[in-house]
Amino acid sequence: MQRRDEAPDPTTMNGSPAPRTVWVSGSSGKLGSEVVRQLREAGDHVIEADLVGESPVDLLDPAAVAESMRGAVAVIHCAAIPAPVNIEPADLMRINTLATFNALEQAWLAGIGTAAVASSASIYGPAWSDEWTSPALRFESVPVDEDTPLTFVDPYALSKDVTEGTCRMFARRGMTVTALRFHWIASVEQARERVATEPEAEGAVGLWGYTELGDAARACILSLGPLAAHRGYEALVIVADDTLSEVPTEDLLDRHLPNITRRRTIPGMGSAFDSSRAAEVIGWRPQHSWR
Ligand SMILES: NC(=O)c1ccc[n+]([C@@H]2O[C@H](COP(=O)([O-])OP(=O)(O)OC[C@H]3O[C@@H](n4cnc5c(N)ncnc54)[C@H](O)[C@@H]3O)[C@@H](O)[C@H]2O)c1
């Protein structure tokens, strides 16, 4: 493995913040385009990498990835198939796992020290499992956090587990890598629409959670540093601190998931996910709600 010398610290130049050049994959997609918008708004330079767009890059082609990454000091990897629908499981696995490997391998070879990678709260398992209410597959306790066991049986969650394993490996090689476990990524309008139309029982599989789009993108950018409390690899729960419901969360749990263990009381319409580790490590707290 031939590696270039470490790229210069992207955040400091003579002690003051300098514009960074950040490589963003999936930059034409829902999350990636918002990441690009926020980076540019903050004065950073962006290299876009997506199958779709003016200069298409296929993440499955390592040489194309290397070429597109030239000049970048950090990477934000959002390109993926974001759900196990309308795609063969084998294709989903191949695309999501190889795209992540190529993004991180080429970043490492280029001497890039920092990466943020889109994972998913679907990694826990219930989201895409038809059998999610069976005891072996459901959430045993709330709030869900980074220690909650993974019980998935579907290829999308498996692809995110492999994604996170890939992140861990590159952290062992010395990179600082943050995997972000987003819930359903939604604009405020999309969240409001779901609250207005989705039957209460249907939200139970995801514990009525969501991640507001701008907040999701901000978590990616915060993961580039500075990161005093980071351990080299972190998988962080990135979920809004309220639910997609006007019913108190404890009442929702009583009605739809009466057997779930509550490790603490959840006040009001508070989330059944705990993102406090993200606050500690990258300083992320949700700033937007559909309310
Ligand atoms: N949308 C959600 O609710 C949600 C929730 C949790 C996690 N995530 C994760 O966040 C990330 C972004 O999701 P999104 O909603 O923006 O998805 P999206 O489908 O809107 O965007 C993904 C982008 O990746 C690109 N892409 C796919 N394969 C590629 C390849 N081989 N080479 C280059 N580009 C390729 C697509 O062209 C697309 O623009 C994904 O990793 C997804 O799994 C999404």
Side-chain angles (χ1 to χ4, degrees):
M1 287 181 287
Q2 276 276 312
R3 191 183 190 215
R4 224 183 62 194
D5 286 344
E6 189 111 340
D9 182 341
T11 57
T12 57
M13 195 176 279
N14 300 329
S16 59
R20 303 167 289 191
T21 298
V22 182
W23 181 88
V24 180
S25 76
S27 52
S28 300
K30 188 183 202 176
L31 174 62
S33 59
E34 175 62 14
V35 169
V36 169
R37 193 194 67 72
Q38 290 189 18
L39 283 167
R40 290 201 171 124
E41 193 175 74
D44 289 318
H45 306 299
V46 176
I47 301 171
E48 298 191 37
D50 198 297
L51 276 179
V52 181
E54 275 179 18
S55 320
V57 179
D58 185 352
L59 271 277
L60 305 189
D61 175 352
V65 173
E67 178 62 27
S68 76
M69 247 178 216
R70 274 204 209 169
V73 296
V75 309
I76 297 178
H77 173 53
C78 303
I81 305 300
V85 288
N86 302 325
I87 185 155
E88 287 299 319
D91 290 333
L92 183 148
M93 278 302 292
R94 185 171 54 85
I95 294 167
N96 285 4
T97 59
L98 189 54
T100 303
F101 178 78
N102 285 340
L104 293 183
E105 170 83 349
Q106 296 311 319
W108 184 81
L109 285 169
I112 294 170
T114 313
V117 175
S119 182
S120 172
S122 294
I123 197 170
Y124 292 109
W128 298 105
S129 160
D130 293 338
E131 306 294 329
W132 69 274
T133 49
S134 89
L137 303 183
R138 69 178 175 220
F139 288 116
E140 244 179 50
S141 72
V142 288
V144 173
D145 62 17
E146 290 78 5
D147 295 326
T148 297
L150 312 182
T151 58
F152 59 79
V153 291
D154 69 278
Y156 178 66
L158 174 61
S159 80
K160 290 304 185 187
D161 195 31
V162 176
T163 288
E164 291 196 2
T166 307
C167 293
R168 276 197 299 277
M169 185 188 85
F170 283 98
R172 286 196 292 273
R173 286 195 198 172
M175 289 178 73
T176 300
V177 190
T178 311
L180 300 158
R181 293 181 179 174
F182 302 115
H183 207 299
W184 175 53
I185 299 173
S187 65
V188 164
E189 295 71 30
Q190 287 173 320
R192 284 187 182 143
E193 165 80 13
R194 188 172 281 192
V195 172
T197 57
E198 188 177 73
E200 189 179 289
E202 281 182 25
V205 65
L207 302 172
W208 304 274
Y210 72 107
T211 308
E212 194 275 332
L213 175 60
D215 284 341
R218 201 162 39 79
C220 295
I221 296 168
L222 285 169
S223 299
L224 304 187
L227 300 166
H230 204 288
R231 296 173 295 193
Y233 170 70
E234 299 279 352
L236 302 174
V237 171
I238 303 290
V239 179
D241 58 16
D242 64 342
T243 60
L244 289 173
S245 176
E246 301 189 89
V247 176
T249 308
E250 292 284 343
D251 295 350
L252 290 172
L253 294 172
D254 287 343
R255 282 185 214 164
H256 302 284
L257 299 164
N259 298 324
I260 209 162
T261 302
R262 297 140 201 226
R263 299 197 313 279
R264 62 168 165 79
T265 306
I266 299 173
M269 273 66 88
S271 178
F273 290 79
D274 181 349
S275 296
S276 54
R277 177 91 192 128
E280 247 172 78
V281 176
I282 60 169
W284 181 86
R285 281 176 194 81
Q287 291 182 346
H288 301 105
S289 161
W290 62 271
R291 277 167 222 283

